[in-house]
Amino acid sequence: MAICSAIILVDDHAAVRAGYRRFIDCEHDLKVVGEASNSEQAYELLRLQDCDVLVLDISLPGQSGLDLIKRVLIKWPKLKILVLSMHDSPVIAEKAIALGAKGYVTKSSDPEELVLALRNALGGKTYVSKDIEGQQQKSELSARETDVVRLLLEGKTIDQAAEQLGISSKTVSNNLSHIRQKLGLHTDFELAAWAWSKGLGPAPPQS
């Protein structure tokens, strides 16, 4: 009998887990050996069950999936982790991978991409789904947009940034709105995190 790689699914929706379980178990070399609906269940399951790849959502009751990645890799540093999420923000994907995830696949992706990501993770490679890659390719900012982000990160107000750039405050506001749309971001925090990851501004204060 062929040896199957053991997969654990972590998602707070039973129907989601069931759907992906059926799909994964159709592969001759992959098998779902356990399921959990939150981070605590997942951690306890890992203590009892051998696992090759942990597939988890980010939005979980209690401790988030991102926090679970950090916690799990402290205990099991060689475990492969794959994020399966509804969030299609490149910023979140980059953060998950920076924390140690071996891949990031959105739930809107074809199920085949999940299998491809699993095989990449098992082979020690990192995989990001095509829709995330597409957004990353579109995420390059123009020189003007980069200046806007950099000045705002330095603490300048929109009016101050406009004065320094020699443009109107309305233009700065429009640029900021366009930047968020281009990057798929929704909050100032997400924009700041993206900019810091690209070295566009001063590092965030240490907590």
Side-chain angles (χ1 to χ4, degrees), residues 2-206:
I3 298 176
C4 292
S5 296
I7 315 297
I8 290 178
L9 296 176
V10 187
D11 194 289
D12 59 334
H13 294 95
V16 172
R17 298 196 306 269
Y20 282 111
R21 180 171 196 147
R22 284 194 296 270
F23 192 86
I24 292 171
D25 284 347
C26 286
E27 301 296 316
H28 71 281
D29 58 343
L30 303 174
K31 182 174 180 58
V32 175
V33 297
E35 299 180 18
S37 62
N38 57 54
S39 294
E40 287 302 322
Q41 287 182 8
Y43 194 83
E44 290 304 312
L45 184 57
L46 285 169
R47 295 176 61 183
L48 302 172
Q49 173 68 58
D50 289 337
C51 176
D52 295 301
V53 185
L54 179 68
V55 180
L56 56 83
D57 193 0
I58 285 179
S59 301
L60 296 171
Q63 187 181 52
S64 74
L66 293 177
D67 288 332
L68 180 60
I69 292 173
K70 293 185 287 186
R71 183 183 178 192
V72 163
L73 290 180
I74 290 173
K75 180 71 173 179
W76 299 282
K78 294 184 179 181
L79 179 65
K80 305 297 191 300
I81 298 178
L82 181 65
V83 174
L84 179 62
S85 174
M86 64 176 289
H87 300 290
D88 61 358
S89 167
V91 174
I92 299 177
E94 287 176 4
K95 183 173 183 178
I97 291 171
L99 288 173
K102 276 296 181 182
Y104 191 102
V105 178
T106 63
K107 291 181 179 179
S108 59
S109 302
D110 290 336
E112 288 82 1
E113 277 208 85
L114 175 59
V115 171
L116 182 57
L118 285 168
R119 298 197 192 288
N120 273 268
L122 288 164
K125 300 177 181 178
T126 300
Y127 183 89
V128 177
S129 58
K130 294 176 182 177
D131 50 351
I132 294 290
E133 282 190 336
Q135 288 199 53
Q136 288 175 325
Q137 291 170 0
K138 295 186 292 183
S139 68
E140 294 301 321
L141 302 183
S142 67
R144 170 60 56 77
E145 290 169 341
T146 299
D147 286 340
V148 167
V149 173
R150 177 177 52 79
L151 289 171
L152 293 178
L153 280 180
E154 290 175 358
K156 300 290 193 300
T157 65
I158 287 179
D159 290 340
Q160 289 170 334
E163 181 178 359
Q164 188 162 335
L165 294 172
I167 57 180
S168 70
S169 297
K170 182 177 180 180
T171 299
V172 172
S173 295
N174 288 340
N175 277 330
L176 190 57
S177 177
H178 181 68
I179 289 166
R180 287 201 187 98
Q181 183 177 13
K182 179 189 287 189
L183 299 178
L185 306 176
H186 304 289
T187 67
D188 289 340
F189 177 81
E190 287 182 351
L191 177 58
W194 180 88
W196 284 324
S197 74
K198 300 299 181 182
L200 297 182
Q206 298 296 314

